[in-house]
Amino acid sequence: MNNLFTNTGSSSFTEFLRGYAPEMLPGNRDALPAPVGEQIPHATTIVAVTCAGGVVMAGDRRATSGNMISNRDMEKVFRTDEYSCMGIAGTASTGIEMARLYQVELEHYEKLEGRSLSTDGKANRLAAMVRGNLGAAMQGLVVVPIFAAYDEKIGGGRIFGYDVGGGPYEHQLYHSIGSGSIFARGSLKKLYRENAAPDEAVLTVLQALYDAADDDSATGGPDVTRKIWPVVAVITDEGFRRLPDEEVTAAVETLLAGRMIDPDGPTAPLR
């Protein structure tokens, strides 16, 4: 047996892959010509907020290729381990590949070391993977993730953002990425309430995604006719939990009922 498999010299699966099969790393793939690259489906808006005892992340379901809708029910929020998740924006195929590799990275570390990485360690490992994709990003295959986790040391949620060169950059309270992020973040500035209960935080991120879809054509709103709702995940000391469609449906119906009365949504009180 190849000694590389039994004695990797590192707890990092990415480092192992770099030594054994570097061509399988996302950043080492050949970039596509610009006209083709522009037609690759792109993921759009992800929102994350901290709440009482944890963090909530939600993503819309739309993927676009140029000015066309290429997918209406894409998954953009991924469980990475029991107490963390990541969302992707940018080149969809590369982002999904990065998310899957990151899942293996965390599992590989836990199996070799017998313990989980710290929250900062998880954020830094993802930063290294984003940095490894820099060459492809400079040629148009950009992936920008957002990472959220429950940190047992502080007993609460933490959120990290990235740029194409890596990071990580910790964001207090809330953050958003993707083409609709500027509108989602503007919504969060008015609606976010620190230490809100998780169910209230879920409504907040859904309102932010709705506002993003209202102004950004690449962001998909709730699809009532097809019953396609945003993906919503809550992470607390009890672990990662993706909300089932029944719960998201109830929250979306509450949101839509309010929008029927006021299309611009709820407003923050001026005091």
Side-chain angles (χ1 to χ4, degrees):
M1 180 180 291
N2 192 326
N3 288 334
L4 189 60
F5 288 95
T6 56
N7 184 20
T8 65
S10 171
S11 59
S12 170
F13 181 77
T14 306
E15 290 300 319
F16 163 74
L17 205 59
R18 184 171 289 115
Y20 180 70
E23 71 282 356
M24 296 185 68
L25 291 171
N28 291 342
R29 304 290 176 81
D30 293 332
L32 297 172
V36 179
E38 291 172 359
Q39 298 306 311
I40 295 177
H42 278 66
T44 49
T45 310
I46 309 290
V47 176
V49 302
T50 58
C51 61
V55 63
V56 175
M57 183 181 290
D60 80 308
R61 306 291 293 275
R62 179 174 293 176
T64 58
S65 299
N67 65 332
M68 302 293 291
I69 297 174
S70 58
N71 197 312
R72 299 180 188 275
D73 59 354
M74 179 185 169
E75 301 274 341
K76 306 174 189 176
V77 176
F78 302 90
R79 175 190 182 277
T80 48
D81 71 1
E82 186 61 27
Y83 294 100
S84 68
C85 69
M86 67 179 282
I88 59 167
T91 306
S93 55
T94 306
I96 293 171
E97 188 177 28
M98 184 178 293
R100 289 171 177 168
L101 179 58
Y102 184 58
Q103 290 169 337
V104 177
E105 174 80 6
L106 297 185
E107 184 177 354
H108 183 77
Y109 179 92
E110 187 171 346
K111 287 182 176 180
L112 288 185
E113 299 295 331
R115 60 184 177 86
S116 298
L117 271 167
S118 66
T119 300
D120 288 298
K122 294 173 186 177
N124 289 330
R125 286 290 176 98
L126 183 54
M129 293 180 63
V130 175
R131 198 173 303 117
N133 190 58
L134 181 58
M138 296 299 288
Q139 298 180 69
L141 302 181
V142 177
V143 176
V144 180
I146 183 172
F147 175 72
Y150 171 80
D151 191 330
E152 62 179 5
K153 289 184 178 180
I154 66 169
R158 298 175 68 185
I159 302 168
F160 295 86
Y162 301 82
D163 57 27
V164 294
Y169 311 105
E170 184 164 6
H171 295 270
Q172 303 298 324
L173 307 182
Y174 58 82
H175 187 51
S176 179
I177 60 170
S179 62
S181 62
I182 186 171
F183 306 111
R185 215 169 300 159
S187 179
L188 290 173
K189 280 186 178 181
K190 303 299 186 293
L191 301 179
Y192 176 79
R193 189 169 66 84
E194 192 171 358
N195 292 320
D199 57 347
E200 183 179 337
V202 168
L203 279 173
T204 301
V205 296
L206 290 175
Q207 292 282 4
L209 283 177
Y210 190 99
D211 284 331
D214 202 30
D215 287 299
D216 173 44
S217 61
T219 302
D223 192 331
V224 178
T225 56
R226 297 181 178 87
K227 293 181 170 52
I228 299 174
W229 318 120
V231 174
V232 183
V234 179
I235 310 174
T236 64
D237 60 351
E238 296 180 353
F240 173 95
R241 176 174 176 262
R242 171 175 167 163
L243 267 59
D245 284 345
E246 301 76 41
E247 290 188 37
V248 180
T249 300
V252 169
E253 287 175 349
T254 299
L255 180 156
L256 293 177
R259 295 280 176 160
M260 291 296 290
I261 300 171
D262 185 356
D264 292 329
T267 56
L270 294 176
R271 296 182 62 183

